[in-house]
Structure formats: structure tokens, C-alpha cells
Amino acid sequence: MPAPPIQLSEAWFDAREADRIAQALRGRVAGNGPFCLKVEERLKRLLDDRRVLLTTSCTHAMELALLALGFGPGDEVICPSFTFVSTANAVLRVGARPVFADIEDRTLGLDPADVERRISPRTLGVLPVHYAGIAADMARLLDLARSRRLKVVEDAAHGLGARLGGRPLGTLGDAGCFSFHETKNVTCGEGGAVTFADAGVAERAEVIREKGTNRSAFLRGEVDKYTWVAEGSSYVLSDVLAAMLDAQLDKLEEIQVRRARLVSRYREELAAWAHAHQARLPPIDPERQGNDHLFYMLLPDEETRDRCLAGLRARGVMASFHYVPLHSSPYGRSLGPTGELPVTDRVARTLVRLPLHPRLSEGDVERVVAALKQALP
Ligand SMILES: Cc1ncc(COP(=O)(O)O)c(C=O)c1O
């Protein structure tokens, strides 16, 4: 019987999540309940003591961040085209316009020089993505933002636990947004979080998140009844999902140890092969402490990449590309011309992601590597 396929990513659940969910079911299950508050406190400790609000997704976390920071119709937000659709959708949902800029070859994050070229009188913010949990060039992006009075919202969907110069990703700009989607290092199926630099903005976000009411203040006993105080929406995470996150946070260290072990195994097994095949592995940079969220390779050209993906899949290894650049997607094209994004186009044509998740064994890594060496001998 052939071995089962090796999945690109898989969540790791056991009795700990089931127990915690059972506990949540015995109490309140709406949002902003005891597990939500507990998990927000735990995340706060991981995120330099910044106020954290749980949300239903990272997409919603970004919408909420942009709304709380005052983005709206007429504003432009510079973001990468090399990203998941959510980054640009969040901008569009608040009525603003995404302006796509190129990425840097080294970090696969926004290129500050190209961002600067795309600033217009309407630009209000920059939305960098920390691809694979590797920090974008935040020193230059933050300098630029400061000098041009732009707000910075970090799409740290991949970035929980990763750092830049010791500082957690998601705490470097005005707001940072995280994902707990099933593919992320810590997951509750679908979920997210947002963190803010400014306590006043966080308070505004708390109201927007609760349908424009001051229910959060009411739950803390600060007002004796709650009412409609602003325009809002519904972005609170159910306590059942927060209970799952609580169990996942208990396992965070184990998850990270497993991921790190698998990544170092990939690196050992692939170093000589990568050199011989002009393939680039993710950068090792002491300033950028990653979280081993994704393991990717950049191959020399598109034909080699496609051969690699087909060869791996034929051998039961569910490797994948990343992303269709947003400016070249059907909807992205309908938003108007973007101009040249040469690094984005090249990276999207040549990138392969290899399976990486906490249920993978070192034997699985050997199988992936053997399949890769057969696909591209
Ligand atoms: C860079 C990036 N931003 C945002 C998201 C959206 O996250 P969510 O599914 O939690 O909305 C993703 C999802 O994978 C992503 O890769």
C-alpha cells in the first residue's frame, strides 16, 4: 500500500484542546468571555505588554485596525502584491484603496524604496507583511512612515512568536494583526488578534469590535448598562474558540521545538543540494528571529519550480507555490494599473513551500527530501 500523502500543513490537536473546549461549553460561549480574557492576557505577555483584542480572523483584525486608526474612503494604503488576498481586502472593506508595492529579494517583505516611490498625497498608511514569520525591513519602513506621517499596520498573520532585533513582530507599528487560521503555528480553526500601540485607539477598536457598543466596559463593570455609542461591526471571537487557543498556547513551546527541529533537518539535508541547484533557502539573519512558520525555497526559474511541484506531488508530497501576485489576479487587475513589480513576479514564479507542521516526523522530512532529489536530480 502506498504511504499516505504528506500534507503541506496540518493542525496538531489532542486531548488538551478537547478538554478545554468541554470546559468552555459548561460556561459562557459568546465572545469576550473568560477564555477570551485569559487568552488576551497570555498574548499580551508575548507581545511586549501591548493591549490585545481577539477577533474572528486576521482579515477582520486588519479591518478593525484600519477602522480604529481612522482609515476610510479617499485614503491609500501601500501594501505588497505578494501576499494573501486578505491584506488588500481589509483595505478595500474600509473604503480605502490598496496600492501595491514590490518586495525585497532578501526578506520577501515590502521594499521601502518602492514604497517611497508610490507615496501620494492620499497615502495614509503602509501595511507590510512579515512573510513566513521573517520580519520585513521595519527600520526603514518605520523611518519612512515617521517622516511622511503615515500609519503602519503590520500584517503579522504568519508572525506570532517571531522577532526583529528582539522585539515581537506585530508590536513595531501602530497596530499588528495575527491569524489563528488552521495553517498557522497556533490555531483555533479560524481566529485572529490585533494589538495597538496607543491605548485610545485600542479602546476605539474595542467598541467597533462589539457592534459599536460599550459592552466590553459593561463586562468590566465600568458602566451599569451597555448601549450603542459608535458605528461598529461584529469581530469578537467565541469563547469556545478562545478555549482552543488557550490549549494551543499551553503547547506553544512544544509546537515551536517541533517546527525548529524539522526546519534544521531540512536545512541540513538540503544545503548541498540547494547549492548545486542554485536554490535559495530562507535567510539566516541573527537580527530576524523567525518562528519557523513556513519553509520555502526559491528555485532558479519557473520551469524548474513547476517540475519540482509536479515531481513532489507525484510522489505524495503536497508542496505548494505562494501567492498569485494580487496585482496580476483578475480582481487586482480591475483595480487599475500597478506598474512593474519585478521581484514580486519572480518570487511568485519560483517559490516552493515544503510541508512543515508539528505532526510531521523527521522520517517525513527524509521522504520529502528524497522525493525532491528525485524530482530535481
Ligand atoms: C499574509 C496573510 N495575511 C492575512 C491572512 C488572513 O488570515 P485569516 O485567515 O486569519 O483571515 C493570511 C492567511 O493565511 C495571510 O497569509
Side-chain angles (χ1 to χ4, degrees):
M1 209 170 66
I6 298 180
Q7 300 302 332
L8 182 64
S9 115
E10 254 180 81
W12 171 38
F13 299 134
D14 52 33
R16 286 174 278 188
E17 284 80 9
D19 288 350
R20 215 57 61 84
I21 290 168
Q23 211 178 312
L25 291 177
R26 288 195 288 274
R28 303 186 42 221
V29 292
N32 232 334
F35 276 113
C36 284
L37 298 178
K38 180 181 177 198
V39 168
E40 286 177 352
E41 273 307 303
R42 294 186 77 172
L43 290 172
K44 185 178 170 194
R45 273 179 258 133
L46 292 177
L47 296 170
D48 259 2
D49 235 24
R50 273 200 179 190
R51 176 87 193 275
V52 176
L53 299 177
L54 284 175
T55 60
T56 33
S57 66
C58 180
T59 311
H60 280 169
M62 289 190 282
E63 271 178 48
L64 181 56
L66 292 167
L67 288 171
L69 285 162
F71 286 77
D75 297 328
E76 290 179 358
V77 180
I78 302 179
C79 66
S81 165
F82 182 73
T83 181
F84 189 59
V85 293
S86 295
T87 319
N89 268 326
V91 175
L92 289 166
R93 293 302 299 158
V94 305
R97 193 171 87 84
V99 172
F100 298 118
D102 211 355
I103 52 169
E104 289 186 311
D105 196 49
R106 189 172 55 103
T107 61
L108 309 190
L110 268 182
D111 174 356
D114 197 45
V115 170
E116 187 162 18
R117 282 192 285 276
R118 290 170 194 272
I119 293 174
S120 84
R122 289 174 176 268
T123 309
L124 185 61
V126 184
L127 215 176
V129 173
H130 302 300
Y131 181 73
I134 295 167
D137 186 349
M138 291 304 286
R140 283 174 64 205
L141 289 170
L142 289 169
D143 270 355
L144 182 63
R146 223 169 283 124
S147 70
R148 306 297 284 267
R149 296 178 179 281
L150 307 177
K151 296 174 186 176
V152 177
V153 175
E154 299 170 70
D155 179 343
H158 300 184
L160 186 71
R163 290 170 179 267
L164 175 64
R167 292 180 62 196
L169 301 190
T171 67
L172 307 166
D174 296 288
C177 305
F178 298 90
S179 174
F180 303 121
H181 179 261
E182 127 175 270
T183 51
K184 303 304 184 290
N185 291 23
V186 166
T187 179
C188 59
E190 301 274 359
V194 56
T195 176
F196 292 99
D198 182 278
V201 178
E203 265 172 46
R204 230 169 15 245
E206 180 183 81
V207 167
I208 298 169
R209 184 180 67 153
E210 274 280 20
K211 296 96 177 164
T213 72
N214 55 354
R215 181 169 177 267
S216 301
F218 168 73
L219 292 174
R220 287 194 295 269
E222 293 165 11
V223 290
D224 57 10
K225 59 180 183 313
Y226 75 88
T227 186
W228 192 19
V229 295
E231 192 177 310
S233 191
S234 182
Y235 300 128
V236 272
L237 187 75
S238 159
D239 230 41
V240 180
L241 295 180
M244 237 169 123
L245 277 182
D246 191 38
Q248 287 267 294
L249 288 174
D250 285 354
K251 288 157 68 167
L252 179 60
E253 208 180 309
E254 267 176 277
I255 291 171
Q256 290 307 124
V257 165
R258 287 180 182 216
R259 285 181 171 273
R261 196 180 298 135
L262 298 167
V263 166
S264 49
R265 196 66 201 266
Y266 271 133
R267 284 192 184 278
E268 270 164 41
E269 299 279 342
L270 289 177
W273 177 91
H275 185 70
H277 289 75
Q278 293 161 346
R280 257 180 49 202
L281 305 182
I284 296 181
D285 172 351
E287 268 294 282
R288 290 180 161 74
Q289 303 89 24
N291 61 356
D292 301 311
H293 174 54
L294 299 179
F295 189 79
Y296 68 82
M297 310 184 296
L298 291 170
L299 296 176
D301 54 57
E302 189 172 12
E303 188 272 325
T304 310
R305 192 277 303 270
D306 290 348
R307 207 151 31 92
C308 173
L309 281 181
L312 286 173
R313 285 175 167 259
R315 292 168 178 83
V317 174
M318 299 298 112
S320 182
F321 71 100
H322 234 175
Y323 298 96
V324 174
L326 298 182
H327 76 288
S328 58
S329 66
Y331 194 68
R333 283 201 309 271
S334 79
L335 297 174
T338 294
E340 298 291 296
L341 299 179
V343 183
T344 297
D345 288 334
R346 175 166 45 78
V347 168
R349 283 197 303 265
T350 56
L351 187 140
V352 170
R353 287 180 290 154
L354 296 179
L356 178 60
H357 57 79
R359 298 182 61 194
L360 209 63
S361 67
E362 292 193 42
D364 292 329
V365 170
E366 277 171 29
R367 218 180 110 196
V368 174
V369 169
L372 179 62
K373 291 180 177 173
Q374 283 165 9
L376 297 179

